Amino acid sequence: MVSFVAALLLTPACSSTPTPTTPPTGGGQQGTPTAPPGTSVAITLADFSISPNPIVASTAQDLTITNNGSVLHNFSIEGTPIDRDVPPGQTITLTAPGPSFSPGSYTAFCKYRRSQGMEAPFTALAG
Ligand SMILES: [Cu+2]
């Protein structure tokens, strides 16, 4: 048994045929995130969550942010000037952030209730 294990460990990895790694298709749970189709991405604020979570958008897409909660919420993106209040029942539109907003990984949050779960990873893709 010991020699069998040793033989496995000593087998050179380069002797095997390379296995192609196929990225998962659809869903976007793993691998490269993809922005939802369309010219805008809908984001919903609630008491106290942000959806979708995580958020993926292209810098060419508008963000429409709706507050479905009962109190004032806010949509901010860390490291950017984006900081907008959204009163309950209202929807705001952030037009495609464009040049002020580089593709990358950010954190979106409600500045009033971040510690209560109103925070989501935000991936901005080149648009
Ligand atoms: Cu909030």
Side-chain angles (χ1 to χ4, degrees):
M1 184 59 184
V2 171
S3 60
F4 175 70
V5 172
L8 283 178
L9 293 173
L10 292 172
T11 302
C14 59
S15 69
S16 60
T17 306
T19 306
T21 52
T22 308
T25 54
Q29 311 96 320
Q30 298 283 327
T32 307
T34 54
T39 57
S40 68
V41 175
I43 297 167
T44 303
L45 308 177
D47 306 335
F48 300 97
S49 62
I50 297 177
S51 64
N53 187 341
I55 301 163
V56 181
S58 126
T59 57
Q61 289 176 309
D62 294 343
L63 305 178
T64 61
I65 300 149
T66 300
N67 181 354
N68 276 345
S70 59
V71 298
L72 177 68
H73 290 299
N74 167 275
F75 185 82
S76 295
I77 299 180
E78 197 161 64
T80 78
I82 295 170
D83 176 349
R84 294 281 301 272
D85 282 355
V86 190
Q90 294 195 22
T91 297
I92 65 162
T93 299
L94 293 174
T95 50
S100 68
F101 194 75
S102 303
S105 296
Y106 299 86
T107 300
F109 62 97
C110 165
K111 68 181 181 184
Y112 305 120
R113 306 190 188 263
R114 185 172 187 171
S115 65
Q116 293 170 255
M118 298 196 67
E119 183 178 89
F122 185 103
T123 299
L125 304 173

